[in-house]
Amino acid sequence: MSDVTDDTAKARISPGLELGRRIRLLREMAGLNQQQLANKVGISRSAVAFWETGRSGHVGKHLGALAEALGVDAEVLLTGMAYKEIQETLTPDESMFLSLYRQLTPLIKLQAQKWIERRVRQAEDEVET
């Protein structure tokens, strides 16, 4: 593998880590410490710390309560942004995939992101061997 590819792989951030960063940022913006957020969601402080470090654990089960405690929509929590129409050129299969993805609930979107991340890692491992 080339150095450029190595740098790209190191720079890639997993969906779990991205979600963890958003949770921490939104928690801090709300003026909450981990314990206060945990109390609002009805979980342990260590669960919040677990999520914030990218190990999403059972975050999906608490997504609604977490979004409410942070004062954002679940979609914003998962994606980091609200919907905005943009012009994009997609292949037919990308367009179909995006259309199907947009029909999913936030919890299923998170599960789909994790599944895709695992498949990409498996493909990368196969190429390396």
Side-chain angles (χ1 to χ4, degrees):
M1 209 187 285
S2 71
D3 289 339
V4 173
T5 307
D6 288 341
D7 291 341
T8 302
K10 289 176 188 170
R12 186 179 329 125
I13 299 174
S14 73
L17 185 55
E18 285 284 340
L19 177 59
R21 287 180 177 177
R22 278 192 294 278
I23 292 170
R24 181 177 179 185
L25 176 65
L26 290 167
R27 175 182 58 76
E28 290 172 349
M29 289 174 62
L32 301 171
N33 63 36
Q34 288 181 339
Q35 186 61 58
Q36 291 167 323
L37 179 59
N39 292 345
K40 285 180 172 266
V41 177
I43 56 172
S44 68
R45 188 213 54 81
S46 61
V48 173
F50 195 73
W51 294 343
E52 288 184 359
T53 56
R55 299 167 291 171
S56 55
H58 297 289
V59 69
K61 180 166 85 171
H62 301 285
L63 196 59
L66 183 59
E68 185 177 329
L70 294 171
V72 298
D73 183 71
E75 190 70 27
V76 173
L77 182 59
L78 285 177
T79 65
M81 61 184 113
Y83 280 109
K84 179 181 176 184
E85 290 292 326
I86 57 171
Q87 186 66 27
E88 182 71 32
T89 303
L90 303 172
T91 63
D93 62 322
E94 290 170 333
S95 180
M96 180 194 63
F97 184 78
L98 183 58
S99 175
L100 291 170
Y101 178 82
R102 287 180 174 168
Q103 295 175 45
L104 300 174
T105 64
L107 173 58
I108 302 300
K109 284 181 181 180
L110 180 61
Q111 292 171 345
Q113 291 169 3
K114 288 180 180 183
W115 182 84
I116 291 169
E117 181 184 32
R118 284 192 306 271
R119 294 296 298 146
V120 168
R121 282 194 198 131
Q122 288 172 350
E124 288 172 344
D125 290 345
E126 290 171 6
V127 169
E128 289 177 1
T129 56

